[in-house]
Amino acid sequence: MDSLNGISESHKEKVEYISYMKDVFRDQRHDYMNYFQVIYGYLQLGKIEEALRQIKKIIRLNSNLSQIYKMSLFNVSIYLDRAIREMGDLDYVINLHILNNRQDTICFIDNEEEIIKNLDLIFKHFIEEDIQFKRNIDIEIEEFKDRISFTFSGENKISTLIKNSKDADIIEDNERVSVIFKYKNPIECLNIE
């Protein structure tokens, strides 16, 4: 038992996770309220084209978010949800394509946190660098039984951010960079109908 708040470690982890998810949902609701306020403002001003452009942006964002949750790595999905919404707020155009070759709905792996840290380096790079063609990014994600692959098109400098290790491979091909993370100890893979 944790002497500070009188709950077991497993309950503490559950509380932290629920708190994190509440923050994710709160952020999503806040973002959508902002989108609707912008559209409402454009409509009040008679700026129909701007309102339509904002609606198309929201449709593209929702399409991307729908794609993200096809993956079996839930924490990676949550990370990408936040990253894609943040980049959308900065007027990036993200073209996301996800293919899940797994039969599992959800899977837990030992190196999911490491994958998220490496993805965070990549997405921060996109946001922080002043690259002329950075505003249009194609991302292909393919999930396999033993690995997950992220292929970025239009930006070939990200390979310097990821350290080649026994759990990650980087393949560069002209303006495409693939980062492949091998799963460590996939456990509790479930197929929920």
Side-chain angles (χ1 to χ4, degrees), residues 42-54:
Y42 283 143
L43 291 173
Q44 282 185 315
L45 296 171
K47 296 183 176 185
I48 304 301
E49 290 301 316
E50 286 87 350
L52 289 173
R53 196 170 18 257
Q54 187 72 15

Side-chain angles (χ1 to χ4, degrees), residues 4 25-26 39-40 43 46 63 76 78 82 88 96 101 105-106 129 148 152-153 165 167-168 170-173 178 190:
L4 294 177
F25 294 138
R26 187 178 301 118
I39 292 168
Y40 183 71
L43 291 173
S63 175
V76 172
I78 293 293
R82 280 189 165 172
L96 189 64
N101 295 307
T105 304
I106 188 103
E129 290 297 314
I148 189 166
F152 301 89
S153 300
S165 72
D167 300 313
I170 298 171
I171 302 168
E172 295 185 61
D173 180 21
S178 293
L190 306 170

Side-chain angles (χ1 to χ4, degrees), residues 169-182:
D169 295 321
I170 298 171
I171 302 168
E172 295 185 61
D173 180 21
N174 295 328
E175 292 187 11
R176 292 172 52 95
V177 175
S178 293
V179 182
I180 303 161
F181 297 100
K182 298 172 195 143

Side-chain angles (χ1 to χ4, degrees), residues 96-108:
L96 189 64
H97 304 281
I98 296 181
L99 178 60
N100 185 345
N101 295 307
R102 302 180 60 95
Q103 299 297 317
D104 307 313
T105 304
I106 188 103
C107 191
F108 300 99

Side-chain angles (χ1 to χ4, degrees), residues 105-135:
T105 304
I106 188 103
C107 191
F108 300 99
I109 58 172
D110 286 349
N111 60 326
E112 192 167 9
E113 188 173 312
E114 178 185 324
I115 292 170
I116 291 169
K117 285 179 183 176
N118 282 308
L119 289 174
D120 197 44
L121 289 172
I122 294 169
F123 283 99
K124 282 182 179 174
H125 174 74
F126 283 126
I127 291 170
E128 294 170 359
E129 290 297 314
D130 188 21
I131 301 167
Q132 182 178 359
F133 52 85
K134 73 176 185 176
R135 296 293 179 195

